[in-house]
Amino acid sequence: IGVGLVGFGLFFILFGMLLYFDSVLLAFGNILFLSGLVFIIGFRRTFTFFFQRPKLKGTSFFLGGVVIVLMRWPLLGMLLEAYGFINLFR
């Protein structure tokens, strides 16, 4: 179930970017991606991964970008998410 949710999340994110940053598709993709991640590695591991002390800057930018996309500012939200994603996996 988790791999399917992550796959659909990535598909919706890609499709939302192809359709000139459609905010509904990007928001749906973000929600599916994060819920799929929770299904794959579990809630506790996901929480400990995102909220480690050295990764708080990347987490705040990534989750802030998700919130900005949900508030219908897709371009700014995706830029914040990309910066946070790079900081998380550096």
Side-chain angles (χ1 to χ4, degrees), residues 9 37 53-54 66 68 78 82:
L37 190 64
R53 173 70 77 192
V66 170
I68 297 292
M78 290 305 291

Side-chain angles (χ1 to χ4, degrees), residues 13-87:
I13 289 172
L14 178 68
F15 198 57
M17 281 197 242
L18 288 175
L19 291 175
Y20 302 112
F21 290 96
D22 183 36
S23 61
V24 174
L25 290 174
L26 291 173
F28 194 59
N30 284 331
I31 292 170
L32 286 175
F33 179 76
L34 290 175
S35 63
L37 190 64
V38 169
F39 269 99
I40 290 174
I41 63 174
F43 183 75
R44 179 169 287 162
R45 286 186 183 166
T46 304
F47 185 80
T48 57
F49 172 75
F50 278 109
F51 293 103
Q52 294 174 3
R53 173 70 77 192
K55 295 183 180 184
L56 279 178
K57 181 180 175 184
T59 299
S60 62
F61 274 100
F62 183 75
L63 294 179
V66 170
V67 169
I68 297 292
V69 167
L70 289 174
M71 291 172 34
R72 295 187 161 273
W73 288 46
L75 188 60
L76 178 63
M78 290 305 291
L79 287 173
L80 288 175
E81 282 183 41
Y83 181 72
F85 189 81
I86 290 168
N87 277 336

